[in-house]
Amino acid sequence: MEFSLKSSYEFDDLVALVALLRSENGCPWDREQTHDSVRMNFLEEAYEAVEAIDLKDDRLLCEELGDVMLQVVFHAQIAEERGAFDVSGISDMVCKKLVERHPHVFAGREVSGTGEVLVNWDEIKRRTKDITSHTGAMRAVASSLPALMRAEKIQKKAAKAGFDWPDVSGALDKLREETAELAQADDDHALEEMGDLLFAAVNVARFRKLDPELALIRANEKFIRRFEMVERAASRLGKPIDSMTLSEMDELWAQAKVTEKHEK
C-alpha cells in the first residue's frame, strides 16, 4: 500500500494511513496492537478531549478530537482485518441509529420539546436493545464508566421506577447514616461501607442537580491548588514540608483557604 505525503489530509487519508501502519510495511508496534491492548488509550484520549472542552481551547480540542478519531479508525482497522466490520460499517450503524431515534425529524412524529425528545429516545433505546425491566436498564449502564457517573445513571433508572426519596432530606439522612456506619466498620467491611457512602453522596448530588464527577474533579484541583500554597508557605519559612508537623501544616492550610477566599 502506498501513501503520499500531502500538505492537507482528509478522513479517507486517515483510514489509509492507519491501514498502512498496520500492514507488513508499516510499524511493528501498530501491527502488534489489539482491541484490548489499546483499550485504555481510547479512554485517555476521550478524557483529554473533554479537558480541551473545559479549557475552551479550540485548537487543542481540534487536536484531541483527532486523537479520538484515530482511536475509532484504529479499532475499525483491527476489526476489518479479522472480518468483523470496517469504518463504513460504523458510519452505517450510527447513521441508522440517529435516524431511528429521531422520529420527530425523519418520521413526522410530533414532540412538544426537549423533554419529550429524551423520553422518546429512552423508549426507542429500550426497545431496540430488548430492555424489558428496570433492572435490565440498570445493567445496560456500561460498567466501564467512571464509578460516580455510573452510580448517578443507575440511580436515575431506579428513580424512574419510583424507587427514590421524595426530596433531598432523605438522601442527606442516608449520607449521614452511611458515614456513621463507615466510622464503625472493621477492616473486613470498610470497603463495602465506603462504597455505600460514595453511592449515598452521589444520590445527594443528583437531588441537588450537581454532577458528582465534576464535583470531585474540582475538589481534586482545589486540593492541589491549596497544597501548592501550603508548600510555598513552608518554603518561605525555610522548612521542607515533609519536615513539618501535621499541626504546622494545618495552620498553613487554614491560611491558604483564607487567602484563596480573598482572591476570589
Side-chain angles (χ1 to χ4, degrees):
M1 179 185 297
E2 295 184 359
F3 189 85
S4 59
L5 298 178
K6 299 181 178 181
S7 60
S8 179
Y9 297 91
E10 298 180 355
F11 181 74
D12 289 344
D13 294 315
L14 174 60
V15 175
L17 178 55
V18 170
L20 173 61
L21 292 173
R22 291 275 301 176
S23 71
E24 292 183 0
N25 298 321
C27 171
W29 184 89
D30 288 286
R31 284 200 304 270
E32 292 173 0
Q33 302 315 305
T34 66
H35 291 301
D36 292 332
S37 70
V38 293
R39 172 181 176 275
M40 293 306 297
N41 299 47
F42 205 131
L43 290 173
E44 181 180 340
E45 300 298 355
Y47 277 114
E48 290 181 0
V50 169
E51 183 176 14
I53 292 172
D54 293 340
L55 293 172
K56 303 189 186 310
D57 187 327
D58 289 336
R59 182 178 179 83
L60 181 60
L61 179 58
C62 183
E63 177 185 348
E64 298 301 344
L65 289 176
D67 291 342
V68 172
M69 188 182 295
L70 169 59
Q71 293 298 312
V72 173
V73 173
F74 200 88
H75 280 282
Q77 178 62 32
I78 295 173
E80 183 176 1
E81 290 166 8
R82 57 188 180 83
F85 57 84
D86 59 14
V87 71
S88 295
I90 295 173
S91 299
D92 176 65
M93 183 171 290
V94 72
C95 285
K96 287 177 178 175
K97 181 186 292 186
L98 287 171
V99 170
E100 183 177 42
R101 295 189 184 179
H102 289 83
H104 53 289
V105 176
F106 302 104
R109 183 172 178 175
E110 296 292 331
V111 292
S112 58
T114 301
E116 191 173 350
V117 169
L118 295 177
V119 169
N120 291 341
W121 180 284
D122 191 53
E123 289 178 353
I124 296 168
K125 182 177 180 179
R126 289 171 68 102
R127 185 176 68 249
T128 56
K129 291 185 176 293
D130 195 28
I131 298 173
T132 58
S133 68
H134 293 289
T135 302
M138 292 181 193
R139 294 194 186 283
V141 178
S143 59
S144 56
L145 285 174
L148 292 179
M149 187 184 300
R150 186 168 189 244
E152 182 185 29
K153 289 181 176 292
I154 289 170
Q155 290 171 7
K156 286 181 177 179
K157 304 294 184 185
K160 287 183 178 180
F163 191 74
D164 204 8
W165 303 105
D167 55 50
V168 70
S169 62
L172 285 168
D173 288 342
K174 187 65 175 176
L175 181 61
R176 297 185 189 98
E177 175 187 325
E178 297 298 350
T179 301
E181 290 182 4
L182 176 61
Q184 298 171 4
D186 57 25
D187 291 345
D188 291 335
H189 299 91
L191 182 64
E192 178 183 353
E193 296 300 340
M194 176 57 75
D196 291 344
L197 175 61
L198 292 172
F199 195 83
V202 170
N203 221 354
V204 173
R206 180 176 60 86
F207 269 102
R208 294 297 303 271
K209 301 189 185 316
L210 303 172
D211 182 341
E213 195 73 25
L214 179 59
L216 187 54
I217 288 171
R218 291 187 176 179
N220 289 338
E221 293 304 316
K222 180 170 65 176
F223 182 89
I224 294 171
R225 188 171 61 248
R226 289 180 178 174
F227 189 88
E228 182 180 29
M229 295 170 71
V230 169
E231 193 165 28
R232 286 178 176 175
S235 178
R236 288 194 296 270
L237 293 172
K239 291 184 176 182
I241 191 170
D242 51 11
S243 70
M244 300 180 74
T245 66
L246 180 58
S247 177
E248 290 174 322
M249 286 188 283
D250 277 343
E251 184 177 344
L252 295 181
W253 183 270
Q255 293 174 10
K257 289 176 66 176
V258 172
T259 300
E260 190 173 56
K261 182 177 180 180
H262 287 163
E263 288 176 351
K264 287 183 178 179

